[in-house]
Amino acid sequence: MKAYTSDKVRIISFMSIVLVVFLHAFNLDNRPNAAPLFYRSWVWFVEEAISYGFTRVAVPLFFLMSSYLYFLNTDGSLAGFIAKMKKRARTLLIPFLFWSLSGIAFYLALQSIPQTAKFFSKGHIVDFTARQWLQTIFINPIPYQLWFVRDLMVLIILSPLLYQGIKHYWRLLLALAFIGWILVPDVWQNSSEALLFFIVGASLSVHQPQRIENNYARFSIIWMFFWMLLVLLKTALQFANVPQELIFGIFKLSVLVGVFACWSFYDRLFRDTQNTNKALLKLSAFTFFIYASHEPVLTVFKKVLFVILGETLMGHFEIYLAAPILALLFCLIMGYCIKRFAAPVYELITGGR
């Protein structure tokens, strides 16, 4: 992989994790029967457009890039996949367990302090059964963003089988995954999206590895405009309370267009100004740390800010802007300090990133 493309993957990954933090910053009730103060207000429109529109390209980009890199230069042998899986045990499994257990410890500590217990009263950890402990550690961690690593590990375990399908029937496999992504029930949306874009990245890596090296700046503004238009249209239709089937179709199209828009727009921003992305490259070193640590940090900031600013419409908007920025800064500072003063620990909990 060229140095330019390697930097591109790192910087897009960092920008994607920023989008994920804003996705999780949504703080309004988006049900139609919610309080009129919140539902279909201008604040709701802004938060909906960002958190359930623009930011929704982040996860597909992560799966696509992770899959592409995983399958790049693979020889397809079982021994080769076993070697890759062993490496992922260090880069994914160990960090997953650390951050999952850290989330439990964090909530347990907060639930043990009378002043903070009332803010974290849902599901007392001390009362967990053995089954709840196992489920919370491995299936539904308290840092809920870990579902990405969980699903990625499952797909990696299945990678030898997926490789055979992609090698011989990649178009059929891609079509089936796309249909699944469109038709799957909401409860499986994340996993169906993971499978689709994992297969997209793998197909590119196996059959057209050089395509990702191309420069796509030429029509990037058109793609970016089309993406923004789709997101705003989808949000406006939700605002008007039109049938969900139409909204769902526009949303899916916006994700597909948005993935390519973001990938191509990078080439327009940095194709002739390679030196200007050094700061982003430095920040990209903390992408995984931000991903793993931003929750429950973000939730804590939101709860504290709601106590300070109150449950007003403007308060919701101010918290929506402030909480993710504060969480990002806190995670960056915390990550920098751990990396600076406890480098072996940082390497362990980030999988050597």
Side-chain angles (χ1 to χ4, degrees):
M1 182 183 291
K2 297 178 182 178
Y4 174 83
T5 308
S6 178
D7 290 349
K8 183 177 182 179
V9 168
R10 291 175 59 189
I11 290 174
I12 288 179
S13 295
F14 174 75
M15 299 307 297
S16 294
I17 203 57
V18 173
L19 292 179
V20 167
V21 176
F22 274 90
L23 187 160
H24 294 156
F26 190 90
N27 59 27
L28 294 173
D29 194 335
N30 58 4
R31 296 172 299 176
N33 60 349
L37 174 65
F38 300 140
Y39 186 66
R40 289 195 286 182
S41 63
W42 69 270
V43 174
W44 178 90
F45 188 96
V46 172
E47 291 197 22
E48 183 75 21
I50 296 173
S51 288
Y52 291 97
F54 294 114
T55 66
R56 296 304 294 269
V57 300
V59 169
L61 281 167
F62 275 130
F63 275 110
L64 193 157
M65 292 185 291
S66 298
S67 176
Y68 178 87
L69 295 173
Y70 177 79
F71 284 96
L72 191 62
N73 299 324
T74 184
D75 60 4
S77 67
L78 182 59
F81 279 114
I82 290 174
K84 285 178 176 286
M85 290 180 195
K86 288 180 179 178
K87 183 178 179 181
R88 269 28 179 214
R90 180 179 69 88
T91 60
L92 294 175
L93 179 58
I94 293 176
F96 176 88
L97 292 174
F98 171 84
W99 290 104
S100 182
L101 292 170
S102 296
I104 292 174
F106 186 71
Y107 265 55
L108 182 61
L110 291 174
Q111 288 177 347
S112 302
I113 302 171
Q115 290 79 5
T116 58
K118 61 182 179 179
F119 298 110
F120 300 89
S121 57
K122 185 178 180 181
H124 288 278
I125 294 174
V126 293
D127 299 326
F128 276 10
T129 63
R131 181 178 179 179
Q132 286 176 308
W133 272 98
L134 291 173
Q135 188 174 27
T136 304
I137 294 171
F138 296 104
I139 308 300
N140 296 310
I142 287 176
Y144 53 83
Q145 70 273 20
L146 292 178
W147 76 265
F148 170 85
V149 174
R150 179 200 66 202
D151 281 17
L152 183 58
M153 289 191 293
V154 171
L155 290 168
I156 285 172
I157 291 171
L158 297 174
S159 61
L161 293 175
L162 288 173
Y163 174 80
Q164 293 302 319
I166 289 166
K167 184 177 180 180
H168 301 290
Y169 310 104
W170 68 273
R171 290 182 179 86
L172 175 61
L173 203 60
L174 197 58
L176 291 174
F178 178 79
I179 293 171
W181 182 54
I182 296 295
L183 300 180
V184 75
D186 288 345
V187 69
W188 296 106
Q189 276 298 309
N190 285 340
S191 295
S192 66
E193 189 169 75
L195 178 62
L196 172 61
F197 287 96
F198 190 84
I199 290 175
V200 171
S203 298
L204 284 171
S205 189
V206 172
H207 293 285
Q208 298 175 326
Q210 296 305 315
R211 184 175 290 273
I212 203 170
E213 306 275 7
N214 294 346
N215 189 299
Y216 295 98
R218 186 177 180 184
F219 297 108
S220 60
I221 293 180
I222 296 175
W223 284 106
M224 186 63 67
F225 175 79
F226 188 29
W227 176 42
M228 295 175 67
L229 183 65
L230 286 170
V231 170
L232 293 175
L233 175 61
K234 171 254 183 188
T235 309
L237 291 174
Q238 281 184 288
F239 196 86
N241 207 21
V242 303
Q244 288 297 313
E245 292 77 12
L246 177 61
I247 295 172
F248 187 74
I250 295 174
F251 166 70
K252 293 294 186 179
L253 181 60
S254 74
V255 172
L256 294 174
V257 173
V259 166
F260 190 73
C262 292
W263 186 262
S264 63
F265 198 68
Y266 177 95
D267 294 327
R268 176 164 293 276
L269 290 176
F270 295 115
R271 59 178 176 176
D272 297 320
T273 55
Q274 186 68 19
N275 292 332
T276 63
N277 61 17
K278 287 183 178 179
L280 287 174
L281 279 175
K282 290 180 179 179
L283 290 173
S284 71
F286 299 98
T287 296
F288 187 87
F289 187 88
I290 295 171
Y291 154 75
S293 64
H294 80 271
E295 280 290 6
V297 171
L298 177 62
T299 295
V300 172
F301 274 117
K302 286 197 289 187
K303 289 180 180 292
V304 171
L305 288 172
F306 270 120
V307 172
I308 297 172
L309 298 175
E311 293 268 355
T312 64
L313 186 63
M314 197 62 194
H316 274 268
F317 182 65
E318 292 169 348
I319 292 167
Y320 179 73
L321 297 178
I325 293 173
L326 291 172
L328 283 165
L329 290 174
F330 181 87
C331 292
L332 279 170
I333 293 170
M334 183 169 59
Y336 174 81
C337 291
I338 296 174
K339 189 174 184 178
R340 175 77 180 273
F341 301 107
V345 174
Y346 185 87
E347 184 174 354
L348 178 69
I349 66 178
T350 61
R353 294 174 179 80

